Amino acid sequence: MRVAVVTEPYKVKIEEMEKPVIGPEDVLIRVMSAGICGSDLHLFKGTHAFRNPPAVLGHEVAGEVVETGSNVTRFRVGDRVTVEPQLGCGQCEFCAAGLVNLCTGKVVPGTPKWCGTFAEYFAAREEITYKLAEGVSYELGTLAEPLAVAVHAIRRLDLSEKNSIAILGSGTIGLLCLVVSKQYGFKQAICTDTAPYNLEMAIRLGADLAINPLKEDVVKAVRKFTGSRGVDAAVIAAGAPTIIDQASAMTRRRGEIVLVAMITEKVPVYSYSLVFNEQRLSGAMTYQSRDFEEAVRLINDGLDLCDLVTHRLPMEETQRGLEMLDRKTENVVKIIVHP
Ligand SMILES: NC(=O)c1ccc[n+]([C@@H]2O[C@H](COP(=O)([O-])OP(=O)(O)OC[C@H]3O[C@@H](n4cnc5c(N)ncnc54)[C@H](O)[C@@H]3O)[C@@H](O)[C@H]2O)c1
Ligand SMILES: [Zn+2]
Ligand SMILES: [Zn+2]
């Protein structure tokens, strides 16, 4: 089968590889659609924490079941599916608590134990495979993964008051957090981004206010919008040196801040603001299976996210897609690759 491999930093090649051989608990999926995600960009640039070239790209996927293992009961050939791309060890305290996202022994695609999804075929365990409803496109099915990230982030918030939320960074993840925050009862949402196109998209997806930090003092704007009180919650979905301070300064006393962005550099934090205002700052790492299930349910129930897909490319153009996402040479949110 053909796969898209990062052979060395900034170089993607289409190569031939053996089709995966499935075990009794697995399904084999013909990949119809795969999404380019921030972590693929890290692999492409050679900055990923544990995915190193050479590696097959991709973990977001939707496709058609073409083969089932002998113990598989819930799927048949022809089913349209998406996959939660993480498999816990099943034995540690985190797996036992349903926190597969925190399992130190978890296996993910694009590593030696599991091929990535930028491939003609992708093998997955039945237990992490989910059916797509009739009428849900493969593209939409591919978005279940980033949507699950957003579901997990919003569920990390533990607030009784949900008047307002600020989302800092309106890329795929920030925009999906916006959509999920509305589903979870936040009455007003404010989004920020440095790109005008992303701000427009935020308004289209239901943001009540969209602010560009390059043009406006976002803290002042948020304070003004919330009658000086500040938002109940802030989600950090972009990396910038001052962004944690920004979130804290626009959040109310006893409010909550959740960090989804992977900021791998050390950034200074004015911790006094967190103390003085008794704010809670937490991290959100991928998703639990219950979050992925919820994301698939939302999509199967008709949540329309098609606007987020700005580009569709054949697998041969993966390199161009990654470069586009890296340099933001075009108005881009989610790029879908069709193997
Ligand atoms: N925690 C997780 O499990 C998880 C999962 C997926 C992605 N992520 C991380 O979440 C972040 C967002 O991912 P994405 O796919 O949406 O990336 P993205 O690059 O599409 O979006 C980031 C957005 O932030 C904007 N931005 C840049 N500087 C900004 C600033 N100072 N203020 C406001 N906006 C700014 C950019 O214009 C862009 O639209 C990344 O750091 C990514 O690594 C985390
Ligand atoms: Zn992803
Ligand atoms: Zn485990």
Side-chain angles (χ1 to χ4, degrees):
M1 65 173 182
R2 286 176 310 116
V3 297
V5 188
V6 177
T7 51
E8 57 184 285
Y10 294 92
K11 187 105 207 102
V12 180
K13 272 196 185 154
I14 305 299
E15 294 186 348
E16 275 296 324
M17 196 181 257
E18 286 299 316
K19 195 162 136 183
V21 177
I22 59 165
E25 325 287 339
D26 299 336
V27 297
L28 185 68
I29 298 159
R30 187 202 311 279
V31 178
M32 306 300 267
S33 145
I36 301 187
C37 164
S39 65
D40 296 306
L41 204 51
H42 280 298
L43 166 60
F44 179 61
K45 291 160 76 171
T47 54
H48 198 281
F50 56 86
R51 283 187 182 115
N52 302 310
V56 176
L57 286 152
H59 59 272
E60 301 176 1
V61 67
E64 182 190 357
V65 173
V66 290
E67 200 185 323
T68 56
S70 53
N71 293 342
V72 169
T73 56
R74 287 168 36 238
F75 296 95
R76 284 189 293 183
V77 168
D79 282 346
R80 300 160 67 260
V81 297
T82 183
V83 177
E84 175 188 346
Q86 56 182 3
L87 197 58
C89 73
Q91 314 203 314
C92 69
E93 57 174 308
F94 299 108
C95 283
L99 292 163
V100 53
N101 53 332
L102 302 182
C103 168
T104 51
K106 77 173 175 182
V107 180
V108 297
T111 56
K113 286 188 183 158
W114 195 4
C115 185
T117 61
F118 284 36
E120 285 178 280
Y121 296 93
F122 181 66
R125 287 274 276 275
E126 173 180 31
E127 66 192 270
I128 49 170
T129 303
Y130 297 81
K131 252 181 221 166
L132 297 176
E134 225 174 285
V136 171
S137 68
Y138 286 120
E139 265 180 24
L140 204 48
T142 311
L143 294 181
E145 197 273 347
L147 183 62
V149 172
V151 168
H152 186 63
I154 299 301
R155 279 178 161 177
R156 291 283 283 146
L157 298 168
D158 185 20
L159 290 159
S160 46
E161 251 177 277
K162 291 180 176 176
N163 292 312
S164 55
I165 189 167
I167 293 156
L168 308 184
S170 307
T172 303
I173 298 295
L175 291 168
L176 289 171
C177 284
L178 163 68
V179 169
V180 173
S181 72
K182 296 264 163 176
Q183 296 277 336
Y184 277 72
F186 280 93
K187 294 190 195 87
Q188 288 187 308
I190 303 165
C191 288
T192 75
D193 206 285
T194 47
Y197 179 76
N198 293 66
L199 293 172
E200 277 166 35
M201 181 87 85
I203 294 287
R204 232 184 301 152
L205 289 171
D208 300 282
L209 181 67
I211 340 170
N212 187 337
L214 300 177
K215 295 193 175 150
E216 252 185 285
D217 180 331
V218 289
V219 173
K220 258 195 198 156
V222 170
R223 289 273 168 194
K224 189 172 163 208
F225 190 79
T226 56
S228 87
R229 189 162 184 262
V231 284
D232 299 314
V235 177
I236 298 176
T242 55
I243 210 150
I244 299 176
D245 287 345
Q246 215 175 62
S248 178
M250 65 172 64
T251 299
R252 71 162 162 87
R253 296 188 162 186
R254 282 271 172 139
E256 286 198 40
I257 301 158
V258 63
L259 251 168
V260 193
M262 306 266 186
I263 305 174
T264 48
E265 306 86 53
K266 288 191 177 172
V267 293
V269 175
Y270 182 54
S271 61
Y272 181 73
S273 174
L274 296 168
V275 175
F276 190 74
N277 297 301
E278 287 208 343
Q279 293 163 341
R280 188 172 288 152
L281 173 67
S282 54
M285 179 60 199
T286 61
Y287 30 75
Q288 299 172 240
S289 296
R290 65 183 194 114
D291 303 319
F292 203 94
E293 212 177 294
E294 171 77 346
V296 174
R297 185 189 67 76
L298 287 168
I299 284 176
N300 280 344
D301 282 356
L303 187 65
D304 185 8
L305 304 169
C306 285
D307 271 0
L308 289 179
V309 179
T310 52
H311 294 76
R312 299 162 176 88
L313 302 175
M315 196 160 72
E316 287 66 25
E317 289 184 39
T318 301
Q319 166 126 12
R320 185 166 83 81
L322 286 158
E323 285 166 355
M324 201 193 306
L325 203 61
D326 185 26
R327 299 193 205 126
K328 294 254 163 30
T329 42
E330 289 178 32
N331 290 332
V332 57
V333 180
K334 178 57 85 184
I335 303 175
I336 296 283
V337 167
H338 293 284

